[in-house]
Amino acid sequence: MLEPPIQFTFSEDFTKEYQDLPPNIQSGVLEALKKFKENPRAKSLRLHRLSAIKPPVWKIDVFADRSWQISMRIQGSECALLLVATHKVMDRTY
């Protein structure tokens, strides 16, 4: 699935959503992406595939309470970051 080194690309939606987040959520997002880059299978990230979506969309948790998530498409070593949003918004989106 993932081949190191992992490279991120940012969709317009992701960039816009990120810029509108409060600073503490932005910090959490950066920490989650750093952790993902170091170890995509870190249990705290809860990397999981959304089964009904084609091509596949994957999600990780930003915080342990699962309140915020990041969605992405993964191909080789590239992760296209799609959206950063609350768990509730993610459930409605996907």
Side-chain angles (χ1 to χ4, degrees):
M1 179 174 81
L2 285 168
E3 302 164 12
I6 296 169
Q7 299 295 317
F8 295 119
T9 59
F10 303 88
S11 71
E12 283 184 40
D13 287 339
F14 183 93
T15 302
K16 178 173 180 352
E17 291 295 329
Y18 178 82
Q19 290 171 344
D20 292 342
L21 294 173
N24 63 319
I25 306 294
Q26 286 182 350
S27 293
V29 168
L30 294 178
E31 276 300 309
L33 293 176
K34 179 181 175 192
K35 188 181 290 186
F36 184 80
K37 205 166 196 176
E38 292 169 358
N39 179 11
R41 296 188 186 352
K43 287 191 184 251
S44 63
L45 296 173
R46 268 188 12 101
L47 174 66
H48 56 287
R49 181 179 171 176
L50 300 173
S51 58
I53 309 291
K54 300 276 185 194
V57 171
W58 296 79
K59 291 195 309 185
I60 61 171
D61 292 323
V62 174
F63 300 111
D65 68 2
R66 302 177 182 171
S67 58
W68 286 84
Q69 297 180 327
I70 297 169
S71 63
M72 64 185 80
R73 285 211 164 89
I74 301 172
Q75 185 168 8
S77 63
E78 185 176 310
C79 295
L81 303 178
L82 304 173
L83 187 64
V84 56
T86 64
H87 192 162
K88 192 176 198 174
V89 168
M90 286 288 189
D91 286 349
R92 280 189 254 145
T93 303
Y94 298 107

